[in-house]
Amino acid sequence: MQAYLDHAATTPMRPESLAAMVPYLTEHFGNPSGSHSVARRARVAIDEARDEVARCLGCEPGEVVFTSGGTESDNLAVLGAPGSGPGRVLCSAVEHHAVLHAAAAIGGTTVAVDPTGVVDLDALAELLGPDVGIVSVMLVNNEVGSVQPLADVAALVRARAPRALLHTDAVAAVGWLDVAGLAAVADLVSVSAHKFGGPKGVGALVVRNGPRLAPVLHGGAQERGRRPGTHDVAGVVGMAVALRVATDARIDTVTRVGAMRDRLAEGLTASIEDVGESAGPVGVGGVGDGLMVERAKIAPSCHLRVGGVDQEELLMLLDDEGVCASAGAACASGGIEPSHVLLAMGWSPAEARSAIRLSLGYTTTDHDIDHVLDVMPKVVERLRA
Amino acid sequence: MAMSGGVDSSVAAAVLTEAGHDVVGATLKLWGGATDSGCCSVADVDDARRVAEQLGVDHHVFNFTDAFEESVVTPYVVDHAAGRTPNPCIECNRSIKFGLLLERATRLGFDALATGHHARVVGGDGGMGRDGGMGRDGGDGGGGSHGAGLSLRRGSDKKKDQSYVLSMLSAGELARVVLPVGEMTKAEVRARAAALGLRTADKPDSQDVCFIHAGRGRRSFLADRMELHGAELVDASSGAVVGTVPAGELVTVGQRRGLGVAVDGRRRYALSVDVAARRITVGTSDDAVGARVTVDRATWVGPALSRRDRAYAQTSAHGAAAPCTWEGDAVVFDEPQPLVAPGQTVALYDAADPDAVVGAAVAMASSMASSSPSAVAPPSAPTSARA
């Protein structure tokens, strides 16, 4: 029995996405930048994918820049925004490293978060000023699942740093929140295909309201000079299809997966001593999107602190039992580093080493949940013995 | 199976796998991350992972960086600041590999921890892992006799023997330790690796302290973490200042190279290091020997030696063992030996069975007690060694 509960790391591909890609890896192999018929066939695919992505993300097709994934989108936003520069970048302390390290590379400043992983608006207000060129606050934290109050962030930015652009890393939100609606307040929005059933190595950055982005990579004129390089045609097509399917299925998926997540979290916290949800319980005080019950965290996120247990040992024994989960961020050699997100939430390094993330997805079944509820109490008991 | 990414642990894993054991590889992440040097560089972890993959065993990386910093690196710096010469590999074996990792392996349900050291664990009740029972959930998880009768012996390849760096382990720990390449010579290990097509077959042996960058060296490492002080070189016989060194903390008792002094045409050796007084006492090669090494922190594989018991003592990883008498708080060699730097481990071997480790202790000071009276260490030396 294998229970894959690491959808926040990556998702299995949607079959529709894979099927749509194959022709562009075989007969329609053209380079969309060319002018002959084979090239034009590929060009049409890029154009149609751009229309689809724009529809799902609530922007104009011309505002979609195809990239190699979330990391590139985040780097392009933080480093390429016209007002970006040393001392002019603000981001939350719980951003993905793609934002955090890009910001750090040009002397950015991080904004504190509260114990549930939500950006501290008072701290943000204090740091905002006329010199700030770009503010980056993710829509959903990828580790603990906390939904960020992006509308409040946007209001503060517009009032106190009128020249700044607002970027949101929406990588963890697609398929779970109404990204088109919630991220409409942002000038720049990052998404990554493999987090919603598309292929790895392709993503997009929405660039709204016409700011002139400085490219991070230099080369050809693709993506209107904002992102050079021959298009990954199959990847772009696969992303567009996956995004359409995930967006169309969102309400059903959230309802179904949310119920399984709640059963998992409630079952584990009830059956194992000293286990708690890292960012607080799920159902209260959250930022909703007007379409469903408000949740403080996205529906698939089950992030737990398991007292007295080392995450490396817990993950190893869970893996032996067929449960794929994760914790923190992998370092270059593959070991686990204490999560910067949990440290920013006020956890000690020792506490951060007792955290694990179980992230559900569209393929998760009740059998997966039953299996975890069966094996995890035994595994934890063994490690505590 | 602790897999460093080197050839010994690669072959050790292969030997265990071929013998039918349920093997899981673990590579320790102990230090750094950005550099590509040292025992836990990304390249070494990749080698361990690839070898494990080839052998069909699971592989995990365990992050012990905080514990390593606390138990190995910090004491290394503190010892240097006090004028001692620590042995970080032994400290790592003691507190990390055969400490935290062995505890973790036990907690995860493994019967034994295997490493690629060239040494042998023999005798006793056969051990949990030595006759086919090794793996996970393979039994009651207990050895029963806690290693009674076990002995730690030199590896079959005397030139590569690593029993010195394991000499501080107890029989209780050794009962849960398996050393699959201890019966093999290094040449046999490499030949086996080549025959199996392991990518580590021709990989050079690791040499230096793993957390110190080979290109930048010990001085630069320590200078980033402590203050280094110049010191005077004082000749033991005349009391005259015969030179200076830029960092007294980097001088090791017994050292000749790098001091750059000769008196009357004879090279001078460091006889003692007094960091507080900024003074290195130097003397001739005749002075740089001693018969008595005071020690503390003695540990025993099995029963402790009694005062006046005979033994062989080895004072460095690749040095020769010499006959001696155990005095409880000192080792007294039959013949004067090169001075032993404070902080170094003294491994003790059985007088009747020189391949068998009896125990280990840490040197505090070396002196000429039973030899020529002309080279008595200066009065401040023992004090500084304990500082």
Side-chain angles (χ1 to χ4, degrees):
Chain A
M1 169 88 205
Q2 187 177 68
Y4 180 80
L5 293 177
D6 200 15
H7 289 258
T10 195
T11 57
M13 277 190 71
R14 299 259 184 190
E16 301 93 324
S17 171
L18 177 61
M21 290 173 70
V22 173
Y24 297 95
L25 296 164
T26 51
E27 69 255 45
H28 306 314
F29 60 86
N31 183 332
S33 298
S35 56
H36 47 65
S37 63
V38 172
R40 286 199 302 274
R41 184 67 192 77
R43 179 76 200 192
V44 168
I46 294 284
D47 290 343
E48 289 176 352
R50 197 184 305 279
D51 290 348
E52 188 70 80
V53 169
R55 184 186 72 81
C56 293
L57 297 180
C59 64
E60 295 300 317
E63 295 175 331
V64 174
V65 178
F66 291 125
T67 69
S68 65
T71 292
E72 190 191 334
S73 295
D74 287 347
N75 273 267
L76 182 53
V78 171
L79 303 176
S84 178
R88 298 162 61 84
V89 180
L90 287 183
C91 68
S92 91
V94 296
E95 294 301 307
H96 188 278
H97 284 134
V99 167
L100 219 47
H101 290 174
I106 52 169
T109 304
T110 57
V111 183
V113 299
D114 71 15
T116 66
V118 171
V119 65
D120 181 335
L121 293 172
D122 293 336
L124 174 64
E126 231 164 78
L127 290 165
L128 284 169
D131 291 340
V132 174
I134 173 130
V135 178
S136 183
V137 174
M138 63 208 323
L139 191 48
V140 172
N141 180 265
N142 55 308
E143 276 186 44
V144 296
S146 305
V147 181
Q148 303 292 336
L150 199 66
D152 297 339
V153 169
L156 278 177
V157 171
R158 302 309 176 212
R160 292 172 178 251
R163 295 215 301 263
L165 295 187
L166 175 61
H167 167 245
T168 191
D169 175 339
V171 166
V174 175
W176 306 108
L177 295 179
D178 171 22
V179 174
L182 292 171
V185 293
D187 304 293
L188 303 161
V189 183
S190 299
V191 299
S192 176
H194 76 104
K195 305 289 189 179
F196 50 79
K200 294 165 187 63
V202 60
L205 180 68
V206 173
V207 184
R208 236 188 287 271
N209 308 325
R212 184 78 205 145
L213 228 56
V216 171
L217 302 174
H218 299 274
Q222 291 92 345
E223 298 301 289
R224 303 187 188 181
R226 295 169 295 194
R227 202 289 185 175
T230 300
H231 289 95
D232 173 3
V233 181
V236 164
V237 168
M239 171 166 69
V241 171
L243 184 58
R244 185 194 72 222
V245 175
T247 303
D248 292 352
R250 185 172 66 88
I251 302 297
D252 286 348
T253 310
V254 167
T255 307
R256 186 168 53 82
V257 172
M260 287 191 284
R261 188 225 82 94
D262 292 349
R263 184 163 77 87
L264 177 67
E266 285 158 18
L268 292 176
T269 51
S271 65
I272 310 175
E273 287 277 305
D274 195 17
V275 168
E277 290 211 56
S278 306
V282 76
V284 289
V287 181
D289 58 14
L291 291 172
M292 63 191 67
V293 178
E294 294 192 347
R295 280 176 175 269
K297 296 184 283 188
I298 52 168
S301 174
C302 181
H303 193 282
L304 303 171
R305 185 192 55 78
V306 184
V309 167
D310 184 287
Q311 60 198 178
E312 287 182 340
E313 297 177 13
L314 180 54
L315 290 173
M316 191 170 157
L317 290 189
L318 285 175
D319 188 24
D320 280 347
E321 300 289 349
V323 178
C324 303
S326 68
C331 62
S333 54
I336 300 173
E337 304 281 6
S339 157
H340 71 283
V341 173
L342 298 176
L343 298 181
M345 286 161 58
W347 294 33
S348 70
E351 287 170 330
R353 265 184 224 100
S354 69
I356 69 156
R357 179 182 72 184
L358 299 159
S359 51
L360 289 63
Y362 75 97
T363 55
T364 304
T365 65
D366 277 317
H367 291 303
D368 295 331
I369 305 304
D370 291 341
H371 183 57
V372 179
L373 288 173
D374 176 37
V375 301
M376 191 157 143
K378 297 173 196 164
V379 162
V380 171
E381 186 185 5
R382 185 159 139 200
L383 289 174
R384 285 175 177 170
Chain B
M1 177 72 229
M3 297 179 73
S4 65
V7 66
D8 292 314
S9 54
S10 297
V11 169
V15 167
L16 292 178
T17 308
E18 284 168 14
H21 295 301
D22 174 12
V23 178
V24 172
T27 301
L28 304 187
K29 164 79 178 149
L30 299 175
W31 186 249
T35 67
D36 193 33
S37 69
C39 69
C40 38
S41 72
V42 174
D44 286 339
V45 174
D46 283 346
D47 280 340
R49 195 193 319 276
R50 299 282 299 275
V51 167
E53 177 67 25
Q54 188 177 345
L55 298 173
V57 308
D58 285 348
H59 177 263
H60 295 267
V61 178
F62 293 148
N63 186 348
F64 286 146
T65 47
D66 292 349
F68 186 74
E69 173 87 37
E70 184 186 324
S71 308
V72 180
V73 179
T74 300
Y76 180 81
V77 175
V78 168
D79 276 352
H80 274 98
R84 291 186 294 263
T85 303
N87 192 324
C89 301
I90 287 185
E91 220 31 71
C92 177
N93 281 336
R94 187 202 317 273
S95 54
I96 306 289
K97 293 199 187 87
F98 299 96
L100 289 178
L101 179 60
L102 183 55
E103 282 168 29
R104 172 168 289 190
T106 306
R107 201 158 44 237
L108 291 170
F110 290 91
D111 296 329
L113 170 67
T115 73
H117 286 106
H118 281 268
R120 290 172 291 164
V121 180
V122 297
D125 60 358
M128 291 173 239
R130 273 168 285 285
D131 50 6
M134 201 182 69
R136 271 180 291 174
D137 309 316
D140 60 8
S145 61
H146 299 289
L150 273 185
S151 65
L152 173 65
R153 301 182 65 80
R154 291 190 188 274
S156 295
D157 188 334
K158 293 296 182 285
K159 285 199 211 72
K160 291 290 173 183
D161 168 51
Q162 292 175 305
S163 58
Y164 175 81
V165 295
L166 303 177
S167 58
M168 67 299 161
L169 297 178
S170 69
E173 288 158 337
L174 291 168
R176 292 177 289 150
V177 170
V178 176
L179 307 175
V181 300
E183 303 281 354
M184 302 168 75
T185 65
K186 189 78 185 196
E188 287 168 343
V189 169
R190 289 207 181 274
R192 179 75 75 92
L196 289 167
L198 300 181
R199 58 195 288 110
T200 51
D202 295 324
K203 199 168 167 176
D205 293 356
S206 58
Q207 296 290 349
D208 301 317
V209 175
C210 71
F211 53 87
I212 293 186
H213 189 275
R216 294 178 50 231
R218 182 175 65 135
R219 182 198 178 91
S220 136
F221 180 88
L222 289 171
D224 288 346
R225 289 165 178 78
M226 59 184 270
E227 218 176 305
L228 297 174
H229 305 92
E232 290 181 334
L233 302 176
V234 177
D235 193 68
S237 50
S238 67
V241 174
V242 292
T244 59
V245 288
E249 292 87 349
L250 296 178
V251 176
T252 295
V253 168
Q255 169 183 343
R256 188 194 70 187
R257 286 174 177 222
L259 297 181
V261 287
V263 177
D264 303 333
R266 294 188 68 187
R267 300 297 299 268
R268 287 297 190 260
Y269 293 73
L271 304 184
S272 70
V273 176
D274 188 339
V275 166
R278 314 269 193 271
R279 185 170 62 223
I280 314 292
T281 306
V282 298
T284 64
S285 56
D286 295 338
D287 301 332
V289 294
R292 182 182 182 88
V293 183
T294 55
V295 297
D296 68 353
R297 295 170 66 192
T299 54
W300 307 102
V301 174
L305 290 181
S306 303
R307 199 156 173 267
R308 304 279 181 209
D309 276 352
R310 299 285 295 161
Y312 289 90
Q314 180 176 330
T315 60
S316 67
H318 300 293
C324 66
T325 302
W326 171 249
E327 291 288 358
D329 60 355
V331 163
V332 178
F333 288 104
D334 297 359
E335 301 289 334
Q337 301 293 318
L339 292 178
V340 182
Q344 287 292 286
T345 288
V346 178
L348 297 162
Y349 293 81
D350 194 325
D353 183 6
D355 278 356
V357 176
V358 184
V362 179
M364 296 168 69
S366 212
S367 66
M368 298 295 291
S370 69
S371 186
S372 145
S374 67
V376 175
S380 64
T383 314
S384 71
R386 273 186 220 101

